[in-house]
Amino acid sequence: MAKTATKHRFLRACKRQKSNTPVWFMRQAGRYMEVYRKLREKHTLLELCRDPELACEVTMQPIRRFDLDAAIIFSDILLPLEPLGVPFEFAKGEGPVIARPLRTKEDVDRLRAFDPREELGYVHEAIRLTVRALEGRVPLIGFCGAPFTLASYMIEGGSSRNYLHAKRMMYHQPETWNKLMETVSGVLAAHLEAQVEAGAEALQVFDSWVGALSPEDYREFVLPHSRAVLARARATGVPVIHFGTGTAGTLELLKEAGGDVIGVDWRIPLDEAWRRLGNDVGVQGNLDSVLLMAPAELLRKRVLDVLQRAGGRPGHIFNLGHGILPETPPESLDVVIETVRAFKP
Ligand code: CP3
């Protein structure tokens, strides 16, 4: 990677260089867009993910429609599960369902550490196609789930309220837990490296479930594994965004685990988060996704509030505090983008 100034606002902000505030949206491809729903009538989600041409097409849909500063490859954090030996499906209205969740040492011993270049090669091929299709307009972000979020999906078998099974494994079978986390981490790190080799210019690690953990449990059972993945991600030379939700109690620890930019959710004021994180990291966020359902006037006001809290400091990437919801009116994204573009700190 060249150390010289890059022309893209998004990459400049990742490196905390001066730039106008970049904006993109987590889950910017998806059901809130009519063109996506049309394609989904003909293909399942997994078909879209596994066909590089379709994945490229879906990645490009929001780029054609909105004035965005980054694309994110259309894929899913759960794709590594099947090659690990943990098949799942997306059940209608329920989200992911894993038929045989991991509970015992034997379950974990059966996991198959695989080579993502082979088993997830379709994601890397989709990245190659998308980089070509983007023609340098905006950088492409590659991603994966964080070890905790993926491991707890595999143990819980789907969404969870108390993470009882995952925490039970941590507390009662720490060796089994650590083995699971190490196996997952190795696969994730190699998957991120392959995404950069394929042309991703930035990476994001999604720890969507990390808010379930106390700071003590995060430090003891999770941080070392996240750190290992983030260190290998950063060694590729591209900027890395480390995102979690419900992290008001663990923000400093997330930073300790690594990342050039920390993604924060909407439950904490952005300036407070940044004060705690310090000036040596960028911050991504953090508008509540549900505000996209509010009248334009209120939406504008809340976007401005986030921007003012960032205060034009180098290193702010405007985003939501979590993914776009399917009910979102697309015009709301235009309102957000126009407000970000017009902002003068
Ligand atoms: O951001 C993007 O545009 C890229 C695409 C993307 C998807 N999943 C596609 C998808 C990304 C970045 C993800 C990440 C992901 N997947 C996360 C982390 C981010 C977050 O929201 O916390 C998680 C937890 C998952 C797991 C997952 N995938 C769930 C829980 C669900 C079902 C929930 C739902 O919205 O139905 C999915 C399905 C999924 N992945 C969809 C999309 C667009 C919904 C698609 C559909 O049915 O067409």
Side-chain angles (χ1 to χ4, degrees):
M1 282 280 298
K3 276 239 168 75
T4 48
T6 90
K7 64 183 164 109
H8 294 294
R9 308 185 181 94
F10 169 74
L11 293 176
R12 293 182 58 80
C14 286
K15 297 172 185 167
R16 281 176 289 113
Q17 294 166 348
K18 253 195 153 58
S19 77
N20 294 324
T21 307
V23 51
W24 70 282
F25 298 84
M26 290 184 277
R27 297 277 187 107
Q28 64 192 20
R31 288 167 295 184
Y32 78 102
M33 285 184 85
E34 168 83 27
V35 283
Y36 177 85
R37 290 196 301 269
K38 276 256 160 68
L39 202 56
R40 268 287 271 121
E41 284 170 13
K42 289 182 273 174
H43 305 277
T44 66
L45 173 65
L46 290 176
E47 280 167 7
L48 294 182
C49 290
R50 286 176 181 151
D51 181 321
E53 279 172 20
L54 289 173
C56 169
E57 166 58 24
V58 177
T59 305
M60 293 301 290
Q61 286 175 347
I63 300 300
R64 290 189 202 110
R65 167 67 179 76
F66 304 104
D67 176 23
L68 296 160
D69 288 306
I72 180 162
I73 192 64
F74 191 80
S75 172
D76 198 275
I77 63 164
L78 299 178
L79 295 174
L81 265 54
E82 175 121 31
L84 275 167
V86 186
F88 69 96
E89 55 181 314
F90 286 105
K92 266 218 163 66
E94 282 181 59
V97 178
I98 289 150
R100 285 174 289 110
L102 310 179
R103 296 287 157 80
T104 65
K105 176 175 183 303
E106 290 68 36
D107 292 340
V108 171
D109 286 341
R110 269 197 297 274
L111 286 178
R112 184 173 150 264
F114 66 91
D115 179 359
R117 283 178 182 77
E118 284 172 19
E119 310 277 346
L120 298 174
Y122 56 85
V123 177
H124 314 135
E125 181 57 21
I127 288 176
R128 276 181 221 106
L129 293 180
T130 307
V131 167
R132 231 173 287 153
L134 283 167
E135 296 179 314
R137 269 170 71 189
V138 292
L140 180 63
I141 304 169
F143 71 90
C144 70
F148 172 73
T149 292
L150 277 204
S152 37
Y153 256 115
M154 291 191 268
I155 298 170
E156 297 292 333
S159 350
S160 172
R161 182 185 280 270
N162 293 316
Y163 302 85
L164 194 66
H165 299 288
K167 289 185 181 180
R168 243 190 215 140
M169 188 185 284
M170 278 178 199
Y171 302 149
H172 286 278
Q173 304 169 266
E175 280 168 22
T176 300
W177 169 261
N178 282 323
K179 181 172 179 196
L180 167 59
M181 291 288 275
E182 273 164 28
T183 304
V184 170
S185 299
V187 164
L188 293 175
H191 184 33
L192 290 177
E193 289 165 351
Q195 292 184 66
V196 173
E197 281 161 26
E201 288 188 84
L203 295 170
Q204 177 156 326
V205 175
F206 286 88
D207 214 347
S208 305
W209 283 10
V210 71
L213 295 171
S214 70
E216 292 77 11
D217 285 348
Y218 183 79
R219 183 183 285 290
E220 185 165 344
F221 296 111
V222 174
L223 192 151
H225 303 288
S226 284
R227 180 188 274 148
V229 173
L230 289 156
R232 275 176 65 183
R234 291 196 70 199
T236 63
V238 308
V240 181
I241 303 166
H242 185 186
F243 167 77
T245 67
T247 54
T250 46
L251 262 189
E252 292 85 353
L253 293 173
L254 246 73
K255 177 186 171 189
E256 203 178 314
D260 301 275
V261 176
I262 303 297
V264 296
D265 82 359
W266 68 98
R267 297 175 180 97
I268 179 168
L270 191 96
D271 48 342
E272 190 185 319
W274 214 337
R275 203 177 319 115
R276 282 173 49 192
L277 287 165
N279 278 328
D280 55 346
V281 281
V283 169
Q284 176 172 280
N286 74 340
L287 186 81
D288 184 349
S289 307
V290 182
L291 270 163
L292 298 175
M293 261 62 85
E297 204 179 325
L298 178 61
L299 174 57
R300 256 185 230 110
K301 204 170 132 197
R302 292 292 198 268
V303 172
L304 274 174
D305 181 66
V306 170
L307 290 164
Q308 276 154 1
R309 288 177 192 279
R313 256 193 287 181
H316 179 224
I317 299 167
F318 193 96
N319 206 314
L320 304 175
H322 201 171
I324 294 183
L325 298 166
E327 298 82 359
T328 301
E331 305 73 45
S332 288
L333 274 70
D334 294 315
V335 171
V336 172
I337 295 166
E338 282 159 20
T339 310
V340 173
R341 298 279 180 249
F343 178 70
K344 298 276 177 294

